[in-house]
Amino acid sequence: MTDLPPCQAASELRRLTDAALSAVAPDGAVLRHLHLDGGKLTLIDESGAPAWSGRLDAYRRIRVLGAGKGAAPMAAALENLLGDRISDGLVIVKYGHDLPEGQRTRHIRIKEGGHPVPDEAGAAAAGEIVDMARDSREDDLVLCTFTGGASALTPALHPEIPLADMQRLTCMLLECGATIHEINTLRKHLSRFSGGSLVRAAFPATVLGLIVSDVVGDDLDVIASGPTVPDPSTFADCLRVVEHYGLRWKMPQSIWAHIEGGLQGRTPETPKADEPAFGRVRNVLVASVKQALEAAADEAARCGFVPRILTTAMSGEARRTAAQLVAEARRAQAGLRPGDAPLCLLAGGETTVTIQGSGKGGRNQEMALAATLELADDRGIDLICVGTDGTDGPTDAAGGYAFSGDLARLRAIGLHPKESLDANDSYPLLLKAGTLLRTGPTRTNVMDMAIMLVRPK
Ligand SMILES: O=C(O)C(=O)CO
């Protein structure tokens, strides 16, 4: 692998990225929102105000239940905070996302399951969590930790739906272009875990939900399919998704029969906001891409840049979004005079890639490659595109860099950026160019970030 181009921008961009990632580490996020003071536990909401507090000795049992790619460090943080006061717990993570040896939890079991396609291990563990929730009493406190990835990890399916059918439906949903809101509308109606069902199972216990967002808009009912959140969606919404993507005659019969049962009032709806169990629940968003961008912006200001957050809802086809970001950077640059402080423009969200080729890459790598092509004749604009979970697409990279004027160098070393982009083959090119970003798995997930540094021409 070639070394990174000798570019100050690369180390500046990496520094801002690291600041952003540490701000949304899920363990730190838990500890910012739960305080223990003289036996009194307080949950702090998004605005910094107390959302709930209670004395630990008022509870017979304190249990931790959760799922998601970043749920293990959250569980560890709860154990560090509450120690032996935690009676037991079970958290499901994606394979490979358990805690490292030596940092394992003592009271909370961590089990691994399949993601993005659910598997037997996830189904068994999710069923076990639902059973634990059901076993709750009024004097139990249930602490729930959820991050992205949890929906696939918790297929506690209604009994008439075989796991193989859910696996087939998951593949169909992932391939048809459905949004996460649409996919999770279906998931919420198929699992006894999701769409507020965990709260229904745990009633009359007190439930505190600690949630890390990997969803544009941070809708709590959508993140992880909202196990502790009332479900505003209905079976009629499921039907709309099924019809919109032409799935009615392709989808497994058992799943259609379940939805049809719901439409005809034979299958009960998911729990809604007026269900009494939600009177005993507090949910708090403990980390989101907004916090990540704010931390990067603060670090940028410390480094002498004038930061500006463009959006926390970046979306669209990766290569087009990259072009829009570059256009925004050029507009900002046009307003700079020599000697002005450089700018740092930040965007968070999640783009998509319509796959046309058979190459290797991910959303962020495609954005970086598309931006490199865009920036051929520019000067003073550099950017980084980062998947905050550290694994962009099916690769071991988190994303990539794009430096203005770098295209000529890439061509000189025999690379063909346009052809690689068209083949969705960004990974090998960025690797050879030395512009691939590798962070390793970060154990958090607040979607993607693009950070641009803009200097006067
Ligand atoms: O539902 C999930 O598991 C997601 O990844 C989105 O939060």
Side-chain angles (χ1 to χ4, degrees), residues 419-443:
E419 288 78 352
S420 295
L421 185 61
D422 288 344
N424 301 118
D425 205 21
S426 46
Y427 180 97
L429 183 136
L430 297 178
L431 178 64
K432 288 200 193 98
T435 51
L436 197 66
L437 169 71
R438 280 190 174 122
T439 57
T442 60
R443 288 175 219 279

Side-chain angles (χ1 to χ4, degrees), residues 148-152 180 184 187 214-215 222-225:
S151 303
I180 189 68
N184 285 358
R187 283 165 158 170
D214 69 331
V215 164
V222 178
I223 304 161
S225 293

